[in-house]
Amino acid sequence: MNDFPDLDLIAYKAERAASRRLARAAGLPADQALRRTLELAAGAQGLAALVAMRTGMLAAQAARDAARATEKAAADARRATRHDGPPSAWRGWFDGSAKPNPGRCGIGARLDGPGGIRVEIARPAGHGNSSEAEYRALIALLEVAVAHGARDLTVHGDSRVVIDDVAGPDLYAAPALAPYRNRVHALLAALSDVRLRWVPRHKNTDADALSQRALAALSFDESDADDALRTPS
């Protein structure tokens, strides 16, 4: 008698249920009951043919599942990097926050370069609205890039207002932001091969955290000042 160790694997749910009923009714071991059930399902073609057919079906399904998993992984990888652009020697991220808006500004930026260079910026940036804070963060980042002689630089930010204002034609530039835009253009002219790229906020978390740290430090300093004013002399 042929030995088929994978009968439970190829059996359908209804066949496994039928085999359990047969085992109870006839007092058979579970494996023998399943074999009889599948022999009945195989009919004239024989159990070996049924096993071969269903094993082939399972292998084909496994191959399809693997292909879908590979395709999904590739799609996920494309989505994860679609805002990154091609690799560059230097990469920077900037973010600015105003609390409230307008209100106190905090800026954050990070510059990564060859050989493990990393510069982080987290500092208060006066008073203004969120677009002004974003611009001040970009300016701070570019000033650091100029100081390091950065070449082949990709700058990432999640402010479409600032990215579009810098890259757009003069005709559509925001008049209120003109001094910031002019400063950015001057810094870009001092660098070689720079690209500004918008990224969604969830891909700009480091710069955001740095800007929030600056705001938190500002709030802490103001709290200390208030405490000092309340302390009796």
Side-chain angles (χ1 to χ4, degrees):
M1 182 173 65
N2 291 331
D3 186 19
F4 300 109
D6 53 357
L7 290 183
D8 190 67
L9 180 63
I10 67 163
Y12 296 149
K13 182 178 180 179
E15 292 167 340
R16 289 194 293 269
S19 72
R20 289 193 294 270
R21 290 194 297 271
L22 176 60
R24 288 194 298 268
L28 293 172
D31 56 340
Q32 291 184 22
L34 180 58
R35 184 185 183 96
R36 289 192 184 182
T37 301
L38 292 177
E39 286 173 341
L40 181 62
Q45 68 174 333
L47 183 57
L50 180 69
V51 170
M53 179 186 69
R54 293 194 184 177
T55 300
M57 291 169 58
L58 289 172
Q61 182 62 50
R64 289 192 294 270
D65 291 344
R68 280 195 292 267
T70 299
E71 183 178 350
K72 182 180 183 301
D76 290 345
R78 288 193 298 270
R79 281 194 294 271
T81 59
R82 71 181 182 274
H83 299 292
D84 294 347
S88 56
W90 291 78
R91 300 181 71 194
W93 295 262
F94 71 93
D95 193 41
S97 302
K99 187 177 182 179
N101 187 19
R104 298 165 301 157
C105 295
I107 63 173
R110 188 181 110 193
L111 179 68
D112 289 353
I117 294 174
R118 172 166 294 185
V119 181
E120 292 184 344
I121 300 168
R123 63 175 182 249
H127 188 278
N129 59 41
S130 58
S131 295
E132 291 171 322
E134 293 276 7
Y135 248 125
R136 292 167 189 168
L138 174 58
I139 289 169
L141 173 64
L142 293 177
E143 288 174 343
V144 170
V146 169
H148 281 77
R151 293 175 175 270
D152 183 21
L153 167 65
T154 301
V155 174
H156 305 83
D158 58 49
S159 172
R160 284 197 182 276
V161 171
V162 170
I163 297 292
D164 291 347
D165 194 61
V166 172
D170 294 343
L171 179 63
Y172 300 111
L177 299 174
Y180 300 104
R181 185 174 187 265
N182 293 338
R183 177 58 177 158
V184 167
H185 282 182
L187 290 166
L188 292 174
L191 295 164
S192 177
D193 192 14
V194 186
R195 294 158 298 281
L196 267 65
R197 189 176 297 276
W198 178 85
V199 293
R201 177 165 290 278
H202 73 270
K203 300 196 73 174
N204 199 34
T205 53
D206 285 353
D208 176 67
L210 289 166
S211 72
Q212 295 302 319
R213 184 195 304 172
L215 280 177
L218 185 60
S219 298
F220 182 77
D221 290 343
E222 290 180 349
S223 176
D224 282 352
D226 290 342
D227 289 343
L229 290 174
R230 288 193 295 267
T231 301
S233 57

